[in-house]
Amino acid sequence: MPTPEHDGPVLEIDRLSVSFFTRSRAIPAVMDFSLGIRPGEAVGLVGESGCGKSTVALAVMRDLGVNGRIVGGRIRFRGRDITAMNDAQLRHLRGNEIAMVYQEPMASLNPAMRIGRQLMEVPMIHHQKSRAEARALALEMVADVKLPDPRRILESYPHQLSGGQQQRIVIAMALMSRPALLILDEPTTALDVTVEAGIVRLIRDLGAKYGTSMLFISHNLGLILETCDRICVMYSGEAVERGKIEDVFDRMRHPYTQALFRAIPVPDADRNTRPLVAIPGNFPLPDERPRGCNFGPRCAYRVPGLCDQGRVPLQKVDGNKGHVSRCLRIADIDWTAPPAASGRGRKPGIGKVTLRVERLKKYHDLAANALFGGGERRVVRANETLSFDAHEGETLAIVGESGCGKSTFARVLMGLETATEGRILLHGNEIQDIATGDRSRETVSAIQMVFQNPFDTLNPSMTIGRQILRALEVFDIGNSHAQRHSRMLKLLDLVKLPRAFADRLPRQLSGGQKQRVAIARAFAGDAAVVLADEPVSALDVSVQAAVTELLTDIQRDHGTTLLFISHDLGIVRYLSDRVLVMYLGHIVELGTTDQVFAPPYHPYTEALLSAVPVADTSFSKREIVLEGDVPSAIDPPPGCPFQTRCRWKHRVAGGLCETRVPPMRTLPGKHRIRCHLEDPILGEMQPVITAAGKAR
């Protein structure tokens, strides 16, 4: 079926409205939404969960399920009305002219089919190519997405590839038919920051190579800045601001856009003097939207009698062609005014050592045939001679890619596994060989954990109050039920939740509220050490800000030692006092936050910093490509664990990097780096992220 010529926009969404129908009523999900994408243009669509981003994408694909329906407006692709197409026309359109990449790559791959066959199906079905022609195209596309050894990749099954490689295959599959429009729905959320950087670079380069237009859906404003030409901000089913990247980032003219930017950490943010500002209140449910401006109940600039009187239209912003905002007070607000200064002041000093780790090792024995046993046994070297201290009132961040050993260390610290060698001392007492079930009540209550996903840590059939009371009973807090009940209510106060939530079930709370409950439970026994494992990565940016500030305030008041495991170096820079960088089981760098985020770096730290998306046009960033995946801990490379991916190793004479593990060296200020590079070469390193002369 030939594609008609069309000189206008690739995609035109005009006053789109989408509703989902239940037995009792229709629930509006998207209202009066308009957006255009020109040939070769990338447009970012951002907003909190539930704002309607994915619904817009599914409406473009005409894949809203049995309950979803387009109830108003038009969607035109190359001048053709998608809303009027029949099933045969839609089958031709999907995957051929419009392709979509989802957040979870395994949802798009058949686990029982080799990669080559899955890629070959696209040109064979859509373009009637022969098997030989389809295989040649598959090989070309696998090379285009920068995967090594394309022939081996084609013969592999999906489970034999890493998450980043799977996502590259899904992108290759989407581009096999050279679609005019590529829709990417949070394609990097589940990936490591270095893999994310590679995927973003790949998307940008392939878009330029093939002239593909893109709709990039993300909650990460830094990624949008790096990949897109224009941006559309959504809130509660509506577009609230739309314009060129530089217009919206530098001259935002909607209170919600401003609130989003104030909730994310930028390189010059300071948690003590200029903390993040969480958006007050909660996101409205689709069937409980307020009268007037949807953002009104959460807006600092709301004027009763004006903002709550009727539907607010999009208005042009003076001096910027194509820049529009859904706000009635554009001309009245001082958009350059900084947020109100925090009364928090400087953080109290760091106290005595709470936790000491000395040459800790954790190895796992693995049979060659792990399913049936037998064969030569191999060793997984998950942690290698970890040594560090953590102090009272200190936040120590632990960062690194998946497979570096962060979670293994967490399991040993919590007593879920015991150490192979070395010592862990809590207040001077060794705990590395004591499993959780054998630890004293005092030790269990002293070390608590906040997990990444709050949905999996709460009992769905037990009220919030009862779950906190259960923790108090286990920790033997209080002499009576009345005392424990009073303590439970004070813990809800501590995490800034209404006391009425004690009678609610977890399903009645939002994700951010559930995470607050998890934090309340962790502090029920006055924990001395709290291990937070990616505690905000599953949350929206505004909720991230609220939970991050909550952890900071509680730590300030209780002098808690916070071990913060994360791959988000933006949050790490904002929150931590010191940073510990891990790679393949080793500590490769350890120092204060200022030391780790400024040269000299360990080469791995340098690459990590280059991969961090920065949502601020006033900062520039050097691009450092980190090739390859983290080696296997079963068969680590000889010498330096990072030498297979290091761009600096040619500066080390005698092949030392390939033959000898470097010692941990101490630089001025107790800054420690595990690297063979000599001091003059380390001194040549340049900053990765630099200010461009403008401060927000």
Side-chain angles (χ1 to χ4, degrees):
M1 179 177 175
T3 300
E5 293 296 327
H6 180 66
D7 297 329
V10 170
L11 181 70
E12 297 173 274
I13 304 176
D14 182 28
R15 303 179 70 84
L16 173 70
S17 293
V18 177
S19 292
F20 288 89
F21 290 82
T22 67
R23 291 182 178 181
S24 59
R25 64 187 187 279
I27 300 175
V30 173
M31 304 162 294
D32 191 29
F33 181 85
S34 297
L35 182 69
I37 304 178
R38 296 185 289 269
E41 183 181 43
V43 176
L45 191 58
V46 303
E48 294 173 276
S49 298
C51 70
K53 306 186 300 294
S54 295
T55 301
V56 169
L58 293 174
V60 172
M61 298 295 287
R62 285 282 303 278
D63 187 24
L64 291 167
V66 294
N67 295 327
R69 193 180 309 162
I70 296 173
V71 296
R74 288 288 181 268
I75 304 174
R76 294 182 179 85
F77 175 75
R78 288 180 164 178
R80 293 169 284 163
D81 189 352
I82 292 178
T83 60
M85 287 184 177
N86 59 35
D87 290 343
Q89 292 170 319
L90 287 172
R91 278 195 298 272
H92 170 80
L93 191 72
R94 296 174 185 146
N96 187 26
E97 296 185 72
I98 302 177
M100 190 164 178
V101 176
Y102 296 89
Q103 177 175 340
E104 174 49 60
M106 279 304 290
S108 304
L109 296 173
N110 187 331
M113 188 184 294
R114 296 183 191 273
I115 295 297
R117 184 179 171 190
Q118 298 189 55
L119 289 172
M120 290 164 60
E121 281 188 342
V122 178
M124 290 173 68
I125 292 173
H126 288 289
H127 300 288
Q128 292 74 52
K129 298 287 186 181
S130 68
R131 290 185 62 86
E133 291 173 321
R135 184 171 178 83
L137 285 171
L139 277 170
E140 177 187 351
M141 188 55 66
V142 170
D144 275 352
V145 297
K146 305 289 194 305
L147 283 172
D149 195 356
R151 295 183 186 279
R152 180 186 65 82
I153 293 291
L154 292 188
E155 295 302 317
S156 301
Y157 288 96
H159 74 271
Q160 295 174 304
L161 306 182
S162 68
Q165 290 174 331
Q166 291 171 0
Q167 195 63 286
R168 286 173 185 257
I169 290 298
V170 171
I171 292 171
M173 190 181 298
L175 292 172
M176 284 288 284
S177 292
R178 306 292 194 268
L181 176 65
L182 179 63
I183 301 174
L184 302 119
D185 191 358
E186 300 275 11
T188 64
T189 299
L191 304 178
D192 279 317
V193 64
T194 51
V195 180
E196 177 184 74
I199 295 293
V200 168
R201 192 180 303 115
L202 172 70
I203 291 168
R204 190 175 60 216
D205 293 346
L206 291 178
K209 177 177 180 178
Y210 296 121
T212 306
S213 301
M214 290 188 286
L215 178 62
F216 196 117
I217 298 172
S218 180
H219 68 276
N220 191 322
L221 290 163
L223 291 184
I224 296 297
L225 175 61
E226 292 184 4
T227 56
C228 297
D229 305 297
R230 290 190 300 123
I231 182 174
C232 177
V233 183
M234 287 191 74
Y235 183 80
S236 190
E238 297 179 319
V240 296
E241 188 163 8
R242 190 174 63 232
K244 294 180 179 178
I245 285 288
E246 57 269 24
D247 289 340
V248 175
F249 272 68
D250 295 340
R251 299 187 68 249
M252 57 195 76
R253 290 297 182 267
H254 192 279
Y256 177 60
T257 309
Q258 184 187 66
L260 277 182
F261 275 90
R262 288 179 173 178
I264 57 176
V266 292
D268 62 349
D270 187 293
R271 63 171 172 159
N272 295 304
T273 60
R274 196 157 65 86
L276 302 181
V277 181
I279 304 175
N282 296 312
F283 195 84
L285 296 175
D287 56 344
E288 296 178 358
R289 292 186 175 101
R291 177 178 172 82
C293 175
N294 283 339
F295 188 61
R298 307 174 73 188
C299 181
Y301 307 110
R302 177 176 177 268
V303 175
L306 173 66
C307 301
D308 54 3
Q309 292 305 299
R311 186 166 176 76
V312 179
L314 282 169
Q315 303 182 60
K316 293 182 179 179
V317 176
D318 291 342
N320 293 271
K321 184 178 180 181
H323 189 185
V324 294
S325 171
R326 197 180 295 274
C327 180
L328 297 172
R329 302 200 61 217
I330 295 176
D332 304 330
I333 296 171
D334 181 3
W335 298 100
T336 63
S342 168
R344 180 183 289 165
R346 302 306 304 179
K347 180 181 176 178
I350 303 300
K352 62 184 179 182
V353 172
T354 304
L355 184 74
R356 173 161 290 165
V357 179
E358 296 179 348
R359 302 187 63 79
L360 180 74
K361 292 184 180 181
K362 178 59 185 177
Y363 295 169
H364 299 281
D365 286 333
L366 186 69
N369 189 333
L371 183 60
F372 300 106
E376 180 186 356
R377 300 192 71 82
R378 308 180 72 183
V379 175
V380 180
R381 301 173 183 271
N383 288 155
E384 283 279 15
T385 58
L386 307 184
S387 296
F388 64 90
D389 292 338
H391 297 256
E392 186 179 277
E394 178 184 41
T395 299
L396 175 64
I398 304 175
V399 302
E401 293 168 285
S402 298
C404 73
K406 304 187 303 293
S407 296
T408 298
F409 167 70
R411 292 176 64 83
V412 174
L413 178 62
M414 299 303 298
L416 300 174
E417 298 182 14
T418 55
T420 303
E421 290 183 20
R423 301 198 302 167
I424 300 177
L425 295 96
L426 175 67
H427 297 309
N429 300 313
E430 293 190 27
I431 61 171
Q432 72 278 351
D433 296 324
I434 308 175
T436 303
D438 297 325
R439 289 183 175 180
S440 67
R441 183 182 290 121
E442 291 74 18
T443 300
V444 172
S445 64
I447 304 181
Q448 287 293 295
M449 191 165 182
V450 179
F451 295 89
Q452 176 176 352
N453 192 343
F455 305 93
D456 295 336
T457 60
L458 298 177
N459 188 328
S461 61
M462 190 181 292
T463 65
I464 297 305
R466 181 66 196 127
Q467 297 193 53
I468 298 175
L469 283 170
R470 176 62 181 152
L472 295 172
E473 291 168 359
V474 169
F475 298 148
D476 198 23
I477 304 295
N479 297 320
S480 65
H481 176 76
Q483 287 184 353
R484 285 190 283 271
H485 188 270
S486 176
R487 169 73 173 161
M488 178 269 291
L489 294 177
K490 289 179 180 177
L491 285 166
L492 289 177
D493 295 339
L494 180 71
V495 296
K496 299 180 174 59
L497 286 176
R499 292 189 171 192
F501 276 32
D503 298 323
R504 293 192 181 186
L505 293 170
R507 61 181 172 80
Q508 297 174 290
L509 274 61
S510 68
Q513 290 168 340
K514 290 175 185 174
Q515 194 63 292
R516 288 170 183 259
V517 174
I519 292 170
R521 196 168 55 180
F523 281 90
D526 288 325
V529 177
V530 170
L531 180 63
D533 189 0
E534 301 276 9
V536 297
S537 62
L539 306 176
D540 281 315
V541 291
S542 177
V543 184
Q544 280 185 7
V547 172
T548 300
E549 292 308 292
L550 174 65
L551 283 170
T552 300
D553 289 340
I554 294 176
Q555 182 192 48
R556 175 183 298 274
D557 295 338
H558 290 73
T560 311
T561 301
L562 180 63
L563 301 182
F564 189 81
I565 296 176
S566 180
H567 70 274
D568 186 341
L569 293 186
I571 289 287
V572 164
R573 183 171 193 162
Y574 172 79
L575 187 64
S576 63
D577 299 297
R578 287 191 300 145
V579 180
L580 185 157
V581 183
M582 291 188 67
Y583 185 81
L584 204 61
H586 294 263
I587 297 175
V588 297
E589 186 163 4
L590 175 61
T592 67
T593 304
D594 290 340
Q595 289 171 342
V596 172
F597 279 77
Y601 313 103
H602 186 279
Y604 177 57
T605 307
E606 181 189 43
L608 282 181
L609 293 176
S610 176
V612 178
V614 179
D616 195 324
T617 58
S618 66
F619 289 88
S620 60
K621 186 177 67 173
R622 287 193 300 122
E623 189 171 279
I624 299 169
V625 179
L626 187 59
E627 301 288 354
D629 297 316
V630 180
S632 170
I634 301 175
D635 188 20
C640 173
F642 187 60
Q643 54 98 353
T644 59
R645 306 168 78 192
C646 182
R647 73 187 191 101
W648 288 88
K649 74 174 183 178
H650 69 282
R651 304 291 301 275
V652 178
L656 197 60
C657 295
E658 291 90 347
T659 58
R660 179 183 165 197
V661 176
M664 184 67 84
R665 298 161 52 194
T666 302
L667 304 180
K670 299 182 180 179
H671 182 194
R672 298 162 63 193
I673 292 181
R674 188 183 296 278
C675 187
H676 287 305
L677 290 174
E678 296 180 355
D679 289 352
I681 299 174
L682 287 174
E684 296 176 15
M685 288 186 172
Q686 299 298 311
V688 173
I689 300 172
T690 54
K694 179 175 75 70
R696 189 185 300 278

